[in-house]
């Protein structure tokens, strides 16, 4: 092994060692979970109530050899793959499913911890890719991984998983545009696709916004270099976006179709700017606990949001990262640093949402920004920039000193002065808060002042002794662990609402394909998904289908016709809490927390109706089903088709399920006259019907459900869910990933071939030189 190869191996080993050190810092942050037997997040959050059931269902389906395009277990049926929150094809999730099957809650917590580390590791790669020294890159990784967005959303695994890829996406994009290489652009596109597959549409939108801002920044920088450079930038940007969208098309296309059927098609501005960052909350950048941090401690007059805290030391070093007296060489390395300097104020202004006019421009003119809430989450871009600038600042401290440089002295003194000023101004403010919050606010101010003083002292020392700079990552780790490690940890098991196996077994034995409704908090809303039951509801999902949600919340009292159409056979209620009138009969009371009631008036899941009423549109259907005389057992409200009036005589029709799978339903039907087969599963584009193998019309029935016309006789009716966005998106994604694999292999083989040729020519030249020397010596001897 030559010297260059040995040096490369040594460099990789040292990088790996720093990543291990980063993992130890993250493990220390999660010490209540890893070493004290506690649980995260506090109260379980979305991790236990929403994502854990989704991941278990996805893993169970895939291991059974079925891609769950449809989820029949919740909300009376809903798309699954089209709901990007499912994260079904996210590579890390697929690997988890392969290794662990249906993940336990401990595995879900492990995924949470892993993605916090991944965010820091990708930030480390970004800093190293920009040429920064390892301690500086480690500092940036800690600051980003443990920043406020990740901590606030510790239970939003898919949010953190999407955000974790931002630094690597930016690094590959930067290299692609700097070097003009399509290979780097394809890599950036692949990372963008992976982030999209992680399953959080809003954070993906923010990643796309970061790319757009960076592209505009580069186009501005390239303007003086000529149109060829601008054209190259646009071409590579197009390649990144094309690969990213194509690689995730198998979920993006179905999600695009689904968006039109949810309540998120367009939000009013006041709703879209809910959870904006309040200007008063900006004190949280220095003192995150002033207004309380975490669900239990928050007392501000605005909605609790992330405030962008990334450590006091991070702010001090970020100022040093843009100090104007640094060397010319460092300014050249700060080509991307100028982008971060621009992004910090822009991100804060956007995160303030309704408090600044800037977000209104995005709402009006940027696609899909009128479909999401919580502008405060844009603080992600500010935290990324602060972490990067702080890494630049620490790198400045680590390089050899020149006697003319005094920036670290002034920054150190400024931090010390800021600490003193914070005590002078902040403590009187802390005394003016509500009495029960004085101690909390005062302690937060004192902690921030102490951290400012320590940071300033270490920066000043680093100006004289380089070793002092290496203590700054340690100070940051102590800061983030001390202020944040216990906020989202608790001793109570959040999974208890899934553990009522006896209730689930009773319903499975007696319920067939009928549905349940839970009216008690001791039963988790998505427990039906875990136990293989069928529920008319589920946990709140912002991407729920709007027609069904409207139907469900307007059914009237239990036992009303619209309620019975949902086929709710069993109602789960608290002990002794009668959930309805005399049609509700208790049938299982052995569970210490839950009683099960039988709804004797429930309609079957599928039944035949011999009369229909045709209405003009969807709004008219709503009016018709809420008419006092409407009886879903006797008449079907349709929005298309021909009116039906038939008489079954005295012959009893028969309907039975012969197959009920995730994406397919088969029923055996016998009817003496023309009829409509009504299935109280939600209607959605992509469902197709056949009768005895021949295509049949599948109609929207009773505003939200399905119906298929059936002629007299015995028939097999089949419904299959095969939406075209899924088929087209799957094809595009397969072609894209295969193309990327072939491209990558070709590039790797080409690089090895070039290295081999180079070594061959080098070896041949050396051998020819040696032979010539031997001949010269021989001639001299002779």
């Amino acid at each position: 092994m030559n010297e260059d190869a040995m040096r490369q191996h040594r460099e990789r080993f040292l990088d790996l060692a720093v990543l291990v050190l980063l993992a130890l810092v993250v493990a220390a942050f999660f010490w209540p979970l890893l070493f004290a037997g506690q649980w995260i997040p506090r109260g379980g959050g979305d991790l236990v109530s929403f994502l854990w059931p989704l991941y278990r269902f996805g893993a169970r389906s895939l291991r059974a050899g079925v891609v769950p395009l449809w989820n029949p277990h919740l909300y009376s049926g809903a798309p699954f793959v089209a709901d990007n929150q499912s994260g079904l094809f996210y590579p890390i999730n697929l690997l988890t499913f392969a290794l662990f099957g249906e993940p336990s809650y401990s595995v879900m917590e492990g995924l949470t911890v892993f993605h916090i580390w991944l965010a820091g590791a990708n930030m480390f790669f970004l800093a190293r890719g920009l040429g920064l020294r390892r301690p500086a890159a480690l500092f940036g990784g800690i600051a980003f991984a443990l920043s406020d967005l990740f901590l606030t959303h510790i239970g939003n695994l898919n949010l953190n998983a999407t955000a974790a890829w931002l630094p690597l996406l930016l690094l590959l994009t930067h290299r692609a545009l700097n070097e003009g290489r399509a290979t780097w652009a394809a890599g950036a596109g692949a990372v963008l696709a992976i982030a999209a597959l992680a399953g959080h549409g809003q954070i993906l939108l923010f990643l796309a916004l970061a790319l757009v801002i960076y592209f505009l920044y580069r186009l501005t920088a390239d303007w003086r270099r000529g149109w060829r450079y601008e054209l190259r930038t646009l071409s590579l940007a197009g390649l990144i976006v094309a690969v990213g969208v194509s690689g995730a098309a198998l979920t993006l296309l179905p999600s695009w179709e689904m968006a039109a059927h949810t309540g998120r098609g367009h939000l009013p501005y006041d709703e879209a700017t809910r959870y904006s960052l309040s200007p008063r909350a900006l004190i949280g950048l220095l003192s995150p606990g002033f207004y309380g941090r975490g669900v239990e401690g928050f007392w501000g007059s605005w909605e609790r949001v992330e405030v962008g805290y990334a450590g006091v030391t991070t702010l001090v070093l970020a100022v040093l990262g843009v100090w104007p007296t640094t060397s010319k060489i460092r300014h050249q390395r700060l080509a991307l640093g100028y982008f971060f300097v621009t992004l910090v104020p822009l991100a804060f202004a956007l995160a303030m949402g309704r408090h600044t006019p800037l977000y209104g421009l995005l709402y009006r003119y940027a696609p899909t920004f009128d479909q999401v809430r919580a502008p405060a989450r844009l603080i992600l871009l500010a935290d990324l920039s602060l972490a990067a600038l702080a890494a630049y600042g620490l790198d400045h401290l680590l390089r050899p000193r020149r006697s003319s440089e005094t920036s670290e002295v002034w920054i150190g003194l400024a931090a010390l002065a800021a600490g003193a000023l914070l005590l002078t101004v902040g403590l009187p403010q802390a005394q003016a808060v509500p009495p029960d919050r004085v101690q909390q606010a005062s302690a937060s101010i004192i902690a921030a002042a102490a951290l400012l003083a320590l940071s300033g002292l270490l920066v000043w020392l680093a100006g004289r002794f380089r070793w002092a700079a290496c203590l700054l990552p340690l100070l940051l780790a102590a800061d983030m662990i001390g202020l944040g490690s216990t906020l989202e940890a608790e001793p109570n098991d959040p999974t208890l609402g899934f553990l009522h196996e006896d209730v689930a077994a009773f319903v499975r034995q007696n319920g067939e394909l009928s549905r349940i409704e839970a009216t008690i908090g001791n039963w988790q809303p998505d427990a039906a998904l875990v136990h293989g039951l069928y529920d008319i509801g589920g946990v709140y999902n912002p991407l729920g289908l709007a027609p069904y949600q409207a139907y469900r919340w307007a059914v009237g009292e239990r036992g009303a016709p619209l309620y019975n159409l949902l086929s709710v056979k069993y109602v789960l209620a608290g002990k002794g809490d009668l959930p309805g009138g005399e049609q509700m009969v208790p049938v299982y009371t052995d569970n210490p927390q839950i009683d099960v009631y039988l709804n004797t008036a429930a309609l079957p899941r599928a039944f035949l109706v011999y009369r229909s009423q045709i209405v003009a549109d969807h709004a008219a259907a709503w009016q018709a089903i809420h008419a006092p005389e409407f009886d879903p057992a006797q008449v079907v409200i349709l929005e298309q088709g021909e009116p039906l009036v038939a008489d079954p005589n005295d012959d009893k029709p028969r309907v039975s399920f012969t197959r009920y799978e995730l994406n397919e339903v088969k029923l055996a039907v016998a009817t003496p006259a023309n009829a409509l087969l009504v299935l109280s599963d939600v209607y959605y584009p992509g469902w197709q019907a056949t009768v005895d193998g021949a295509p049949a019309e599948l109609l929207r029935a009773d505003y939200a459900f399905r119906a298929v016309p059936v002629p007299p006789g015995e028939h097999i009716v089949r419904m299959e869910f095969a939406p075209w966005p899924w088929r087209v998106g799957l094809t595009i994604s397969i072609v894209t990933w295969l193309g990327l694999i072939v491209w990558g292999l070709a590039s790797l083989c080409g690089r090895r071939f070039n290295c081999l040729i180079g070594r061959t020519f080098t070896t041949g030249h050396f051998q020819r030189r040696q032979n010539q020397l031997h001949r010269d010596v021989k001639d001299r001897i002779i």
Side-chain angles (χ1 to χ4, degrees), residues 535-579:
D535 199 326
I536 65 169
V539 75
Y540 168 73
N541 185 349
L543 298 181
L545 299 179
Y548 176 73
Q549 296 298 330
Y551 179 97
R552 181 188 168 200
W553 296 115
V555 295
E557 62 182 7
R558 294 185 182 91
L562 294 183
Y563 181 83
N564 293 332
L565 178 57
L566 292 170
S567 187
V568 180
K569 185 175 182 180
Y570 294 108
V571 178
L572 280 53
K575 303 299 291 185
D577 294 336
L578 183 65

Side-chain angles (χ1 to χ4, degrees), residues 347-604:
F348 274 110
L350 290 172
M352 290 183 190
R354 67 180 63 174
H355 303 293
T356 66
L358 194 58
Y359 192 83
L361 299 177
L362 286 180
Y363 175 83
R364 290 180 180 85
Y365 302 113
T368 72
F369 269 87
D370 63 340
Q371 300 177 20
V372 297
R373 299 187 306 177
R377 292 175 183 173
L378 277 162
I379 209 72
L380 167 70
L381 307 186
D383 283 342
L384 171 79
S385 302
L386 288 173
L389 290 173
Y392 274 119
L394 182 54
D395 187 73
H396 169 66
L397 291 176
L398 289 167
R399 62 193 185 86
R401 300 269 74 79
R402 292 190 302 179
S403 58
S404 61
E405 292 184 358
T406 59
S407 56
E408 57 276 357
V409 175
W410 289 109
I411 294 295
L413 292 175
L416 289 169
L421 180 63
L422 183 62
L423 282 177
T424 304
V425 177
L427 281 180
Q429 294 295 322
Q431 299 298 318
V433 304
D436 60 330
R437 300 294 182 179
V438 169
Q439 183 178 358
Q440 168 186 306
S442 299
S444 180
I445 291 293
I446 293 172
L451 287 168
L452 274 170
L454 285 172
S455 300
L457 178 61
L458 286 178
V459 169
W460 177 78
L461 283 175
R464 308 185 67 178
F465 310 102
R466 290 176 60 190
W467 58 264
C470 294
L471 296 178
L472 288 164
L474 182 62
L475 177 61
L476 175 66
D479 172 4
M480 305 303 275
I481 294 170
L483 295 183
S485 61
T486 60
L487 288 178
E488 290 294 335
E490 67 166 347
N492 301 314
D493 184 353
T495 69
L496 297 178
F498 291 96
L499 303 182
H500 302 287
E501 297 285 350
D502 58 327
V503 173
F506 175 83
V507 174
R508 274 195 300 267
Q509 292 170 6
N510 301 278
E512 299 173 349
L513 288 175
S514 56
R515 294 194 177 93
I516 65 171
E517 182 195 13
T519 64
I520 182 173
N522 290 326
W523 176 272
Q524 275 279 358
D526 278 5
L529 193 58
V530 173
H531 294 294
L533 305 179
Y534 303 93
D535 199 326
I536 65 169
V539 75
Y540 168 73
N541 185 349
L543 298 181
L545 299 179
Y548 176 73
Q549 296 298 330
Y551 179 97
R552 181 188 168 200
W553 296 115
V555 295
E557 62 182 7
R558 294 185 182 91
L562 294 183
Y563 181 83
N564 293 332
L565 178 57
L566 292 170
S567 187
V568 180
K569 185 175 182 180
Y570 294 108
V571 178
L572 280 53
K575 303 299 291 185
D577 294 336
L578 183 65
E582 59 183 11
Q583 76 277 4
M584 297 293 176
V585 179
V587 290
Y588 183 80
T589 58
D590 293 344
N591 187 280
Q593 296 176 322
I594 298 174
D595 287 341
V596 181
Y597 288 81
L598 172 68
N599 177 17
T600 57
L603 290 173

Side-chain angles (χ1 to χ4, degrees), residues 212-493:
V212 170
I213 296 172
Y214 181 65
F215 292 151
L216 293 175
Y217 166 81
R218 287 304 300 256
L219 287 173
T220 302
D222 291 341
W223 177 71
R224 294 182 179 180
R225 303 174 67 186
W227 64 269
R228 289 185 178 86
Y229 285 96
E230 292 205 331
L231 182 60
R232 187 184 76 176
T233 295
L234 289 173
S235 301
L236 292 172
L239 178 60
I240 292 170
V241 173
V243 172
V245 172
S246 300
L250 76 170
T251 61
L252 292 181
L253 274 179
S255 297
W256 167 76
E257 180 190 42
M258 183 180 176
H261 299 273
T262 69
R264 285 294 182 93
H266 174 77
L267 295 176
Y269 185 71
D270 287 343
E271 182 67 16
T273 53
R274 283 191 63 192
Y275 302 101
S276 296
L277 176 63
S278 171
R280 292 174 60 192
L282 289 177
I283 191 176
L285 283 172
L286 278 173
S287 179
F290 188 89
Y291 286 107
R293 202 177 184 199
V295 177
E296 294 184 355
F298 179 73
W299 61 273
S301 59
W302 54 89
E303 295 162 315
R304 186 178 75 93
V305 296
E306 48 282 286
V307 296
Y309 186 72
V312 172
T313 313
T314 301
L315 295 179
V316 174
L317 288 179
V319 174
L320 181 61
V322 294
W323 186 257
T325 59
T326 52
S327 67
K328 182 179 179 181
I329 295 177
R330 183 168 173 273
H331 273 296
Q332 292 173 354
R333 283 170 47 197
L334 259 175
L336 190 57
Y338 292 138
F339 167 72
F340 293 132
V341 171
T342 304
L343 193 57
V344 169
L346 180 61
F348 274 110
L350 290 172
M352 290 183 190
R354 67 180 63 174
H355 303 293
T356 66
L358 194 58
Y359 192 83
L361 299 177
L362 286 180
Y363 175 83
R364 290 180 180 85
Y365 302 113
T368 72
F369 269 87
D370 63 340
Q371 300 177 20
V372 297
R373 299 187 306 177
R377 292 175 183 173
L378 277 162
I379 209 72
L380 167 70
L381 307 186
D383 283 342
L384 171 79
S385 302
L386 288 173
L389 290 173
Y392 274 119
L394 182 54
D395 187 73
H396 169 66
L397 291 176
L398 289 167
R399 62 193 185 86
R401 300 269 74 79
R402 292 190 302 179
S403 58
S404 61
E405 292 184 358
T406 59
S407 56
E408 57 276 357
V409 175
W410 289 109
I411 294 295
L413 292 175
L416 289 169
L421 180 63
L422 183 62
L423 282 177
T424 304
V425 177
L427 281 180
Q429 294 295 322
Q431 299 298 318
V433 304
D436 60 330
R437 300 294 182 179
V438 169
Q439 183 178 358
Q440 168 186 306
S442 299
S444 180
I445 291 293
I446 293 172
L451 287 168
L452 274 170
L454 285 172
S455 300
L457 178 61
L458 286 178
V459 169
W460 177 78
L461 283 175
R464 308 185 67 178
F465 310 102
R466 290 176 60 190
W467 58 264
C470 294
L471 296 178
L472 288 164
L474 182 62
L475 177 61
L476 175 66
D479 172 4
M480 305 303 275
I481 294 170
L483 295 183
S485 61
T486 60
L487 288 178
E488 290 294 335
E490 67 166 347
N492 301 314
D493 184 353

